[in-house]
Amino acid sequence: MRVAMIGSGYVGLVSGACFADFGHDVVCVDKDPSKIERLNNGIMPIYEPGLEQLVTGNARAGRLTFTTDLAEGIKGAEAVFIAVGTPSRRGDGHADLSYVHAAAKEIAEALEGYTVIVNKSTVPVGTGDEVERIIREANPQADFAVVSNPEFLREGAAIGDFKRPDRIVIGTQDDRAKAVMTELYRPLFLNQSPLLFMGRRSAEITKYAANAFLATKITFINEMADLCEAVGGNVQDVARGIGLDNRIGGKFLNAGPGYGGSCFPKDTLALVKTAQDAGSPVRIVETVAAVNEDRKRAMAQKVIALAGGDVRGKVVAILGLTFKPNTDDMRDSPAIPIIEVLQAAGAIIRAHDPEGETQARLVLTNVEYCANPWDALTDADVAALVTEWDAFRALDLDRIKAVMKTPAMADLRNVYRPEEMARRGITYVGIGR
Ligand code: NAD
Protein backbone atom coordinates (compact mmCIF):
# COMPACT_ATOMS: atom_id res chain seq x y z
CA MET A 1 0.00 0.00 0.00
CA ARG A 2 1.04 3.62 -0.48
CA VAL A 3 1.38 5.43 2.84
CA ALA A 4 2.35 9.01 3.65
CA MET A 5 3.55 10.03 7.08
CA ILE A 6 3.23 13.73 7.85
CA GLY A 7 5.80 14.54 10.53
CA SER A 8 9.00 12.53 10.76
CA GLY A 9 9.81 12.82 14.46
CA TYR A 10 10.00 10.10 17.10
CA VAL A 11 6.61 8.68 16.14
CA GLY A 12 6.40 9.47 12.41
CA LEU A 13 9.85 8.23 11.51
CA VAL A 14 9.59 5.02 13.54
CA SER A 15 6.07 4.27 12.27
CA GLY A 16 7.01 5.10 8.68
CA ALA A 17 10.12 2.93 8.78
CA CYS A 18 8.21 0.02 10.36
CA PHE A 19 5.39 0.22 7.79
CA ALA A 20 8.06 0.20 5.06
CA ASP A 21 9.64 -2.81 6.72
CA PHE A 22 6.28 -4.59 6.46
CA GLY A 23 6.48 -4.01 2.71
CA HIS A 24 4.37 -0.88 2.31
CA ASP A 25 5.56 1.96 0.14
CA VAL A 26 6.11 4.88 2.54
CA VAL A 27 6.89 8.57 2.07
CA CYS A 28 7.93 10.42 5.23
CA VAL A 29 7.21 14.14 5.02
CA ASP A 30 8.60 16.80 7.31
CA LYS A 31 8.60 20.54 7.01
CA ASP A 32 12.03 20.72 8.64
CA PRO A 33 14.42 20.66 5.64
CA SER A 34 17.47 19.81 7.77
CA LYS A 35 15.72 16.68 9.08
CA ILE A 36 14.84 15.55 5.56
CA GLU A 37 18.31 16.31 4.25
CA ARG A 38 19.87 14.25 7.02
CA LEU A 39 17.47 11.37 6.40
CA ASN A 40 18.22 11.47 2.69
CA ASN A 41 21.89 11.13 3.62
CA GLY A 42 21.25 8.20 5.94
CA ILE A 43 21.81 10.28 9.09
CA MET A 44 19.23 9.85 11.87
CA PRO A 45 17.82 13.09 13.31
CA ILE A 46 17.06 11.34 16.62
CA TYR A 47 18.62 8.59 18.70
CA GLU A 48 16.50 5.45 18.85
CA PRO A 49 18.04 1.97 19.10
CA GLY A 50 17.87 0.06 15.80
CA LEU A 51 16.41 2.97 13.86
CA GLU A 52 19.36 3.71 11.62
CA GLN A 53 19.51 0.17 10.28
CA LEU A 54 15.75 0.03 9.76
CA VAL A 55 15.62 3.37 7.96
CA THR A 56 18.66 2.93 5.75
CA GLY A 57 17.72 -0.66 4.87
CA ASN A 58 14.22 0.26 3.75
CA ALA A 59 15.41 3.41 1.99
CA ARG A 60 17.94 1.33 0.07
CA ALA A 61 15.19 -1.13 -0.87
CA GLY A 62 13.20 1.80 -2.30
CA ARG A 63 10.27 1.43 0.09
CA LEU A 64 11.02 4.51 2.21
CA THR A 65 11.57 8.00 0.88
CA PHE A 66 11.72 11.46 2.44
CA THR A 67 10.50 14.83 1.28
CA THR A 68 9.57 18.29 2.50
CA ASP A 69 6.92 18.53 -0.22
CA LEU A 70 3.64 17.41 1.38
CA ALA A 71 1.59 17.54 -1.85
CA GLU A 72 4.18 15.39 -3.62
CA GLY A 73 4.45 13.05 -0.64
CA ILE A 74 0.76 12.22 -0.41
CA LYS A 75 0.26 11.69 -4.13
CA GLY A 76 -1.42 8.30 -4.61
CA ALA A 77 -1.37 7.49 -0.89
CA GLU A 78 -4.25 5.37 0.36
CA ALA A 79 -3.48 6.35 3.95
CA VAL A 80 -2.05 9.68 5.10
CA PHE A 81 -0.91 9.72 8.72
CA ILE A 82 -0.71 12.88 10.76
CA ALA A 83 2.17 12.41 13.22
CA VAL A 84 3.05 16.01 14.06
CA GLY A 85 3.70 17.37 17.54
CA THR A 86 0.92 18.29 19.98
CA PRO A 87 2.85 20.10 22.72
CA SER A 88 1.30 21.90 25.67
CA ARG A 89 -0.11 25.25 24.68
CA ARG A 90 1.81 27.94 26.48
CA GLY A 91 -0.11 29.38 29.39
CA ASP A 92 -3.06 27.02 29.76
CA GLY A 93 -1.89 23.40 29.34
CA HIS A 94 -4.35 22.56 26.55
CA ALA A 95 -2.86 20.55 23.69
CA ASP A 96 -1.60 22.91 21.00
CA LEU A 97 -3.35 21.66 17.87
CA SER A 98 -1.96 24.24 15.49
CA TYR A 99 0.40 21.72 13.80
CA VAL A 100 -2.40 19.17 13.38
CA HIS A 101 -4.78 21.75 11.94
CA ALA A 102 -2.11 23.13 9.59
CA ALA A 103 -1.26 19.62 8.39
CA ALA A 104 -4.96 18.87 7.81
CA LYS A 105 -5.34 21.97 5.68
CA GLU A 106 -2.28 21.16 3.59
CA ILE A 107 -3.43 17.57 3.13
CA ALA A 108 -6.89 18.73 2.06
CA GLU A 109 -5.51 20.82 -0.74
CA ALA A 110 -3.56 17.88 -2.19
CA LEU A 111 -6.12 15.08 -1.86
CA GLU A 112 -6.94 12.95 -4.91
CA GLY A 113 -9.21 9.91 -4.80
CA TYR A 114 -10.47 8.14 -1.69
CA THR A 115 -7.95 8.69 1.12
CA VAL A 116 -7.92 7.70 4.76
CA ILE A 117 -6.49 10.46 6.96
CA VAL A 118 -5.14 8.78 10.07
CA ASN A 119 -4.51 10.80 13.17
CA LYS A 120 -1.56 9.26 14.99
CA SER A 121 -0.72 12.37 16.99
CA THR A 122 -2.08 12.38 20.54
CA VAL A 123 -5.06 14.70 20.30
CA PRO A 124 -7.97 15.66 22.55
CA VAL A 125 -11.35 14.13 22.00
CA GLY A 126 -13.19 15.80 19.14
CA THR A 127 -10.04 16.61 17.14
CA GLY A 128 -11.02 14.05 14.49
CA ASP A 129 -14.26 15.96 13.96
CA GLU A 130 -12.32 19.21 13.62
CA VAL A 131 -9.82 17.69 11.17
CA GLU A 132 -12.75 16.40 9.12
CA ARG A 133 -14.33 19.87 9.14
CA ILE A 134 -11.07 21.55 8.08
CA ILE A 135 -10.59 19.16 5.17
CA ARG A 136 -14.21 19.41 4.07
CA GLU A 137 -14.04 23.22 4.14
CA ALA A 138 -10.73 23.40 2.26
CA ASN A 139 -11.71 20.78 -0.32
CA PRO A 140 -15.47 20.17 -0.51
CA GLN A 141 -15.02 17.59 -3.30
CA ALA A 142 -12.56 15.40 -1.41
CA ASP A 143 -13.43 11.75 -0.83
CA PHE A 144 -11.94 10.83 2.53
CA ALA A 145 -12.40 9.47 6.04
CA VAL A 146 -10.68 10.64 9.22
CA VAL A 147 -9.55 7.85 11.53
CA SER A 148 -8.03 8.00 15.01
CA ASN A 149 -5.11 5.58 15.48
CA PRO A 150 -3.24 6.66 18.61
CA GLU A 151 0.33 5.46 19.05
CA PHE A 152 1.49 3.72 22.22
CA LEU A 153 5.18 3.15 21.43
CA ARG A 154 7.81 4.01 24.04
CA GLU A 155 10.93 5.90 23.09
CA GLY A 156 13.97 3.70 23.60
CA ALA A 157 11.98 0.60 22.65
CA ALA A 158 9.97 2.16 19.83
CA ILE A 159 10.61 -0.31 17.04
CA GLY A 160 9.79 -3.37 19.14
CA ASP A 161 6.69 -1.64 20.49
CA PHE A 162 5.50 -0.71 17.00
CA LYS A 163 6.10 -4.17 15.59
CA ARG A 164 4.73 -6.08 18.58
CA PRO A 165 2.12 -3.82 20.13
CA ASP A 166 -0.14 -4.93 22.98
CA ARG A 167 -3.01 -3.66 20.85
CA ILE A 168 -3.79 -1.39 17.92
CA VAL A 169 -6.61 1.06 18.53
CA ILE A 170 -8.55 2.24 15.49
CA GLY A 171 -11.33 4.74 15.84
CA THR A 172 -13.67 4.89 12.86
CA GLN A 173 -17.19 3.92 11.81
CA ASP A 174 -16.34 4.10 8.10
CA ASP A 175 -16.27 0.65 6.46
CA ARG A 176 -13.92 1.66 3.65
CA ALA A 177 -11.52 3.12 6.21
CA LYS A 178 -11.74 -0.04 8.31
CA ALA A 179 -10.72 -2.09 5.27
CA VAL A 180 -7.73 0.18 4.56
CA MET A 181 -6.59 0.11 8.21
CA THR A 182 -6.97 -3.66 8.39
CA GLU A 183 -4.85 -4.10 5.27
CA LEU A 184 -2.23 -1.67 6.58
CA TYR A 185 -1.85 -3.48 9.89
CA ARG A 186 -2.32 -6.96 8.46
CA PRO A 187 1.32 -7.96 9.10
CA LEU A 188 0.73 -7.25 12.81
CA PHE A 189 -2.61 -8.95 12.86
CA LEU A 190 -0.80 -12.05 11.65
CA ASN A 191 1.42 -11.64 14.75
CA GLN A 192 -1.85 -11.80 16.70
CA SER A 193 -1.69 -8.20 17.86
CA PRO A 194 -5.32 -7.33 18.61
CA LEU A 195 -6.86 -4.74 16.34
CA LEU A 196 -9.50 -2.88 18.35
CA PHE A 197 -12.11 -1.02 16.35
CA MET A 198 -14.13 1.59 18.19
CA GLY A 199 -15.65 5.01 17.73
CA ARG A 200 -13.27 7.85 16.93
CA ARG A 201 -13.94 9.68 20.18
CA SER A 202 -13.34 6.54 22.23
CA ALA A 203 -10.00 6.02 20.45
CA GLU A 204 -8.96 9.60 21.19
CA ILE A 205 -9.88 9.21 24.86
CA THR A 206 -8.16 5.80 25.09
CA LYS A 207 -4.75 7.32 24.44
CA TYR A 208 -5.09 9.94 27.18
CA ALA A 209 -6.64 7.44 29.56
CA ALA A 210 -3.69 5.07 29.04
CA ASN A 211 -1.08 7.75 29.67
CA ALA A 212 -2.96 9.18 32.65
CA PHE A 213 -3.28 5.73 34.19
CA LEU A 214 0.44 5.00 33.77
CA ALA A 215 1.35 8.42 35.17
CA THR A 216 -0.91 7.67 38.13
CA LYS A 217 0.80 4.33 38.73
CA ILE A 218 4.22 6.00 38.77
CA THR A 219 3.02 8.77 41.05
CA PHE A 220 1.36 6.29 43.38
CA ILE A 221 4.57 4.32 43.92
CA ASN A 222 6.53 7.56 44.31
CA GLU A 223 4.25 8.56 47.18
CA MET A 224 4.64 5.08 48.70
CA ALA A 225 8.40 5.65 48.44
CA ASP A 226 8.10 8.86 50.43
CA LEU A 227 6.00 7.04 53.02
CA CYS A 228 8.64 4.27 53.21
CA GLU A 229 11.30 6.90 53.85
CA ALA A 230 9.21 8.53 56.55
CA VAL A 231 8.31 5.38 58.46
CA GLY A 232 11.09 2.94 57.61
CA GLY A 233 10.13 0.66 54.73
CA ASN A 234 11.61 -0.40 51.42
CA VAL A 235 9.59 0.68 48.41
CA GLN A 236 11.14 -2.00 46.21
CA ASP A 237 9.79 -4.68 48.54
CA VAL A 238 6.42 -2.94 48.58
CA ALA A 239 6.38 -2.65 44.78
CA ARG A 240 7.11 -6.36 44.42
CA GLY A 241 4.58 -7.15 47.09
CA ILE A 242 1.81 -5.39 45.22
CA GLY A 243 3.08 -5.92 41.66
CA LEU A 244 2.81 -9.70 41.80
CA ASP A 245 -0.92 -9.23 42.26
CA ASN A 246 -2.22 -9.73 38.73
CA ARG A 247 -4.85 -7.08 39.23
CA ILE A 248 -2.06 -4.53 39.79
CA GLY A 249 0.87 -5.76 37.69
CA GLY A 250 4.55 -5.10 38.31
CA LYS A 251 5.27 -2.60 35.53
CA PHE A 252 5.55 1.14 36.16
CA LEU A 253 6.18 0.54 39.85
CA ASN A 254 9.76 1.80 39.97
CA ALA A 255 9.95 4.75 42.33
CA GLY A 256 12.01 7.61 40.95
CA PRO A 257 12.35 11.34 40.46
CA GLY A 258 8.90 11.81 38.88
CA TYR A 259 7.75 11.11 35.36
CA GLY A 260 8.89 13.29 32.50
CA GLY A 261 9.29 13.01 28.76
CA SER A 262 7.44 14.16 25.71
CA CYS A 263 4.10 12.56 26.60
CA PHE A 264 3.01 12.07 30.23
CA PRO A 265 3.42 15.67 31.46
CA LYS A 266 1.66 17.29 28.51
CA ASP A 267 -0.96 14.56 28.08
CA THR A 268 -2.03 14.55 31.74
CA LEU A 269 -2.38 18.34 31.59
CA ALA A 270 -4.34 18.22 28.35
CA LEU A 271 -6.69 15.57 29.76
CA VAL A 272 -7.27 17.71 32.85
CA LYS A 273 -8.17 20.66 30.62
CA THR A 274 -10.44 18.65 28.32
CA ALA A 275 -12.26 17.17 31.32
CA GLN A 276 -12.67 20.55 33.00
CA ASP A 277 -14.09 22.03 29.80
CA ALA A 278 -16.51 19.12 29.55
CA GLY A 279 -17.71 19.72 33.10
CA SER A 280 -16.46 16.28 34.11
CA PRO A 281 -13.20 16.91 35.98
CA VAL A 282 -10.61 14.13 36.41
CA ARG A 283 -9.53 14.98 39.92
CA ILE A 284 -7.20 12.02 40.31
CA VAL A 285 -5.24 13.12 37.26
CA GLU A 286 -5.21 16.74 38.45
CA THR A 287 -3.59 15.57 41.68
CA VAL A 288 -1.15 13.28 39.89
CA ALA A 289 0.09 16.16 37.74
CA ALA A 290 0.51 18.46 40.74
CA VAL A 291 2.24 15.82 42.91
CA ASN A 292 4.63 14.97 40.08
CA GLU A 293 5.52 18.61 39.49
CA ASP A 294 6.44 19.10 43.16
CA ARG A 295 8.44 15.91 43.20
CA LYS A 296 11.07 16.98 40.69
CA ARG A 297 11.99 19.96 42.87
CA ALA A 298 11.96 17.80 45.99
CA MET A 299 14.59 15.61 44.31
CA ALA A 300 16.96 18.57 44.11
CA GLN A 301 16.44 19.07 47.84
CA LYS A 302 17.45 15.46 48.39
CA VAL A 303 20.75 16.15 46.65
CA ILE A 304 21.24 19.35 48.64
CA ALA A 305 20.57 17.51 51.91
CA LEU A 306 23.13 14.87 50.94
CA ALA A 307 25.66 17.65 50.41
CA GLY A 308 25.15 18.74 54.01
CA GLY A 309 22.33 21.19 53.37
CA ASP A 310 24.30 23.59 51.19
CA VAL A 311 25.59 23.24 47.63
CA ARG A 312 26.89 26.78 47.19
CA GLY A 313 30.15 26.55 45.26
CA LYS A 314 30.02 22.76 45.36
CA VAL A 315 30.37 20.54 42.31
CA VAL A 316 27.40 18.28 41.64
CA ALA A 317 27.99 15.46 39.14
CA ILE A 318 24.80 14.59 37.28
CA LEU A 319 24.70 11.15 35.68
CA GLY A 320 21.98 11.07 33.04
CA LEU A 321 19.97 13.95 31.60
CA THR A 322 17.36 12.42 29.31
CA PHE A 323 13.96 11.56 30.79
CA LYS A 324 14.75 7.87 30.42
CA PRO A 325 17.53 5.70 28.98
CA ASN A 326 18.00 4.84 25.30
CA THR A 327 16.71 8.13 23.94
CA ASP A 328 18.16 11.57 23.33
CA ASP A 329 14.80 13.17 24.17
CA MET A 330 15.09 15.91 26.78
CA ARG A 331 11.47 17.10 26.64
CA ASP A 332 10.24 17.64 30.19
CA SER A 333 13.08 15.58 31.63
CA PRO A 334 13.15 15.67 35.46
CA ALA A 335 16.87 16.51 35.10
CA ILE A 336 15.92 20.01 33.96
CA PRO A 337 14.14 21.26 37.13
CA ILE A 338 16.55 19.29 39.32
CA ILE A 339 19.54 21.04 37.76
CA GLU A 340 17.82 24.43 37.74
CA VAL A 341 17.06 24.20 41.47
CA LEU A 342 20.62 23.08 42.21
CA GLN A 343 22.00 25.95 40.13
CA ALA A 344 19.73 28.43 41.91
CA ALA A 345 21.16 27.11 45.19
CA GLY A 346 24.66 27.89 43.92
CA ALA A 347 25.84 24.47 42.70
CA ILE A 348 28.33 23.99 39.89
CA ILE A 349 26.91 21.32 37.56
CA ARG A 350 28.96 18.75 35.70
CA ALA A 351 26.93 16.30 33.69
CA HIS A 352 27.28 13.29 31.46
CA ASP A 353 24.62 11.63 29.34
CA PRO A 354 25.42 8.93 26.76
CA GLU A 355 23.10 10.36 24.06
CA GLY A 356 21.35 13.44 25.39
CA GLU A 357 24.05 16.11 25.34
CA THR A 358 23.05 17.78 22.08
CA GLN A 359 19.42 18.16 23.14
CA ALA A 360 20.41 19.08 26.69
CA ARG A 361 22.58 21.95 25.50
CA LEU A 362 19.44 23.53 24.00
CA VAL A 363 17.64 23.65 27.36
CA LEU A 364 20.29 23.70 30.09
CA THR A 365 22.86 26.45 30.29
CA ASN A 366 25.88 26.83 32.55
CA VAL A 367 26.46 23.10 32.65
CA GLU A 368 29.88 21.59 32.09
CA TYR A 369 29.15 18.64 29.78
CA CYS A 370 31.51 15.71 30.24
CA ALA A 371 32.44 13.01 27.76
CA ASN A 372 32.10 10.21 30.32
CA PRO A 373 30.89 9.65 33.90
CA TRP A 374 34.39 9.79 35.34
CA ASP A 375 35.09 13.30 34.10
CA ALA A 376 31.87 14.37 35.81
CA LEU A 377 32.62 12.52 39.05
CA THR A 378 36.27 13.49 39.50
CA ASP A 379 36.59 15.98 42.38
CA ALA A 380 32.79 16.30 42.65
CA ASP A 381 31.29 16.98 46.09
CA VAL A 382 28.17 14.98 45.42
CA ALA A 383 26.74 12.87 42.58
CA ALA A 384 23.15 12.41 41.45
CA LEU A 385 22.17 9.47 39.27
CA VAL A 386 19.15 10.84 37.41
CA THR A 387 18.72 8.49 34.41
CA GLU A 388 19.32 4.75 34.66
CA TRP A 389 21.38 4.27 31.50
CA ASP A 390 23.01 0.82 31.36
CA ALA A 391 26.37 2.57 31.37
CA PHE A 392 25.67 3.73 34.95
CA ARG A 393 24.51 0.38 36.30
CA ALA A 394 27.86 -1.15 37.06
CA LEU A 395 30.17 1.76 37.79
CA ASP A 396 33.39 0.85 39.63
CA LEU A 397 32.40 1.89 43.15
CA ASP A 398 35.97 1.87 44.48
CA ARG A 399 36.88 4.24 41.70
CA ILE A 400 33.92 6.50 42.59
CA LYS A 401 35.18 6.58 46.15
CA ALA A 402 38.68 7.38 44.94
CA VAL A 403 37.90 10.14 42.43
CA MET A 404 35.17 12.12 44.20
CA LYS A 405 36.12 14.88 46.59
CA THR A 406 33.54 13.55 49.03
CA PRO A 407 32.04 10.24 47.92
CA ALA A 408 28.29 10.81 48.13
CA MET A 409 25.57 9.71 45.72
CA ALA A 410 21.87 10.46 45.44
CA ASP A 411 20.61 7.52 43.41
CA LEU A 412 17.25 8.74 42.10
CA ARG A 413 16.65 5.44 40.25
CA ASN A 414 17.59 2.94 42.96
CA VAL A 415 20.27 1.39 40.74
CA TYR A 416 22.62 0.56 43.64
CA ARG A 417 22.09 -1.23 46.93
CA PRO A 418 22.46 0.84 50.10
CA GLU A 419 24.49 -1.92 51.83
CA GLU A 420 27.04 -2.15 49.04
CA MET A 421 27.50 1.63 48.99
CA ALA A 422 27.96 1.66 52.76
CA ARG A 423 30.52 -1.13 52.47
CA ARG A 424 32.50 0.94 49.95
CA GLY A 425 32.37 4.03 52.15
CA ILE A 426 30.11 6.04 49.83
CA THR A 427 27.46 8.14 51.52
CA TYR A 428 24.28 7.16 49.74
CA VAL A 429 20.64 7.98 49.51
CA GLY A 430 18.14 6.24 47.24
CA ILE A 431 14.38 6.52 46.82
CA GLY A 432 12.09 5.01 49.42
CA ARG A 433 14.62 2.70 51.05
P1 NAD B 1 8.29 15.30 17.16
O1 NAD B 1 8.33 16.70 17.59
O2 NAD B 1 9.48 14.42 17.37
O3 NAD B 1 7.94 15.22 15.60
C1 NAD B 1 6.97 15.98 14.97
C2 NAD B 1 7.48 16.35 13.58
O4 NAD B 1 6.42 16.90 12.82
C3 NAD B 1 8.59 17.38 13.56
O5 NAD B 1 9.72 16.85 12.91
C4 NAD B 1 7.99 18.57 12.79
O6 NAD B 1 8.95 19.27 12.02
C5 NAD B 1 6.96 17.87 11.94
N1 NAD B 1 5.87 18.72 11.44
C6 NAD B 1 5.09 19.58 12.13
N2 NAD B 1 4.16 20.13 11.33
C7 NAD B 1 4.34 19.58 10.09
C8 NAD B 1 3.69 19.73 8.84
N3 NAD B 1 2.64 20.56 8.68
N4 NAD B 1 4.15 19.02 7.79
C9 NAD B 1 5.20 18.19 7.94
N5 NAD B 1 5.86 18.01 9.09
C10 NAD B 1 5.42 18.69 10.17
O7 NAD B 1 7.01 14.65 17.87
P2 NAD B 1 6.79 13.12 18.31
O8 NAD B 1 7.46 12.85 19.59
O9 NAD B 1 7.04 12.25 17.14
O10 NAD B 1 5.22 13.16 18.61
C11 NAD B 1 4.26 13.24 17.56
C12 NAD B 1 2.89 12.94 18.16
O11 NAD B 1 2.85 11.59 18.62
C13 NAD B 1 2.52 13.80 19.37
O12 NAD B 1 1.14 14.06 19.35
C14 NAD B 1 2.86 12.91 20.54
O13 NAD B 1 2.10 13.22 21.68
C15 NAD B 1 2.49 11.56 20.00
N6 NAD B 1 3.20 10.44 20.62
C16 NAD B 1 4.52 10.53 20.90
C17 NAD B 1 5.19 9.46 21.46
C18 NAD B 1 6.66 9.55 21.78
O14 NAD B 1 7.15 8.67 22.48
N7 NAD B 1 7.38 10.55 21.32
C19 NAD B 1 4.51 8.27 21.72
C20 NAD B 1 3.16 8.19 21.40
C21 NAD B 1 2.51 9.27 20.85
Side-chain angles (χ1 to χ4, degrees):
M1 291 181 90
R2 283 258 306 133
V3 177
M5 193 63 66
I6 314 303
S8 306
Y10 288 86
V11 165
L13 184 56
V14 169
S15 310
C18 288
F19 277 133
D21 211 42
F22 295 154
H24 297 310
D25 192 1
V26 181
V27 184
C28 281
V29 181
D30 204 287
K31 64 174 184 191
D32 178 349
S34 68
K35 223 171 234 189
I36 295 302
E37 191 188 324
R38 268 181 282 173
L39 284 165
N40 275 324
N41 290 316
I43 302 164
M44 294 308 104
I46 56 168
Y47 174 74
E48 178 63 42
L51 187 62
E52 184 171 345
Q53 205 186 0
L54 190 75
V55 167
T56 51
N58 281 287
R60 222 176 297 119
R63 288 190 298 266
L64 182 61
T65 54
F66 307 99
T67 179
T68 54
D69 185 342
L70 187 141
E72 186 61 33
I74 75 170
K75 216 175 249 171
E78 289 142 277
V80 178
F81 282 79
I82 299 178
V84 301
T86 48
S88 266
R89 198 162 70 189
R90 256 176 218 290
D92 65 8
H94 272 289
D96 176 356
L97 294 175
S98 55
Y99 302 103
V100 172
H101 292 167
K105 196 155 180 295
E106 274 188 79
I107 291 166
E109 285 154 8
L111 281 182
E112 284 167 12
Y114 179 70
T115 313
V116 180
I117 319 294
V118 191
N119 209 341
K120 204 164 233 343
S121 296
T122 302
V123 291
V125 60
T127 303
D129 302 357
E130 182 60 11
V131 166
E132 192 171 309
R133 195 195 59 74
I134 290 170
I135 297 176
R136 179 106 30 238
E137 189 180 286
N139 185 349
Q141 266 75 54
D143 186 14
F144 69 100
V146 176
V147 172
S148 166
N149 171 219
E151 182 50 56
F152 299 96
L153 63 76
R154 295 163 301 167
E155 287 175 16
I159 295 168
D161 284 352
F162 192 90
K163 289 190 163 185
R164 286 176 296 281
D166 292 334
R167 79 304 203 186
I168 301 149
V169 169
I170 297 175
T172 182
Q173 313 282 9
D174 183 295
D175 285 337
R176 283 193 295 174
K178 276 186 197 169
V180 169
M181 296 305 287
T182 306
E183 182 59 19
L184 202 56
Y185 278 109
R186 202 162 52 90
L188 288 182
F189 192 57
L190 296 175
N191 284 350
Q192 304 200 321
S193 298
L195 219 56
L196 300 187
F197 286 98
M198 58 179 78
R200 198 162 62 194
R201 287 183 168 241
S202 302
E204 289 168 339
I205 296 170
T206 299
K207 173 62 190 175
Y208 282 100
N211 277 359
F213 192 88
L214 294 171
T216 302
K217 217 172 162 188
I218 293 171
T219 306
F220 178 85
I221 202 67
N222 284 342
E223 286 204 318
M224 290 302 122
D226 290 349
L227 180 62
C228 284
E229 283 179 21
V231 299
N234 181 331
V235 74
Q236 288 180 310
D237 291 338
V238 174
R240 195 163 153 74
I242 63 172
L244 286 173
D245 184 328
N246 281 335
R247 294 168 302 176
I248 296 174
K251 291 182 181 162
F252 279 75
L253 287 180
N254 293 322
Y259 61 77
S262 65
C263 292
F264 289 179
K266 77 169 176 69
D267 292 347
T268 44
L269 274 188
L271 179 62
V272 163
K273 290 292 170 188
T274 300
Q276 282 170 354
D277 287 355
S280 178
V282 283
R283 297 211 306 273
I284 291 173
V285 187
E286 287 175 17
T287 304
V288 163
V291 168
N292 191 67
E293 224 16 67
D294 291 349
R295 183 168 190 82
K296 300 181 203 170
R297 285 176 174 75
M299 291 299 117
Q301 296 306 330
K302 215 179 185 51
V303 179
I304 293 171
L306 185 66
D310 189 1
V311 284
R312 233 169 316 157
K314 292 187 179 167
V315 173
V316 180
I318 302 281
L319 302 183
L321 294 166
T322 51
F323 79 99
K324 66 166 167 180
N326 296 322
T327 180
D328 60 346
D329 201 340
M330 281 296 295
R331 287 178 285 185
D332 261 315
S333 172
I336 300 169
I338 291 171
I339 288 174
E340 284 171 351
V341 171
L342 289 169
Q343 286 178 325
I348 299 157
I349 304 293
R350 269 200 234 135
H352 169 68
D353 189 280
E355 294 291 340
E357 185 180 324
T358 308
Q359 294 299 320
R361 282 182 182 276
L362 303 175
V363 284
L364 285 166
T365 49
N366 263 332
V367 170
E368 187 188 327
Y369 291 96
C370 302
N372 60 65
W374 301 108
D375 288 355
L377 288 163
T378 300
D379 294 329
D381 293 278
V382 61
L385 199 164
V386 180
T387 317
E388 69 279 33
W389 283 91
D390 280 348
F392 304 147
R393 283 183 183 275
L395 292 170
D396 178 343
L397 300 180
D398 291 330
R399 189 170 168 196
I400 290 185
K401 170 120 198 285
V403 301
M404 286 186 74
K405 193 161 158 196
T406 45
M409 181 190 281
D411 177 1
L412 306 185
R413 301 290 182 171
N414 284 341
V415 168
Y416 292 96
R417 287 202 304 278
E419 317 79 67
E420 96 190 302
M421 296 306 249
R423 206 172 343 109
R424 310 286 175 139
I426 299 171
T427 313
Y428 176 84
V429 59
I431 302 283
R433 303 185 299 182

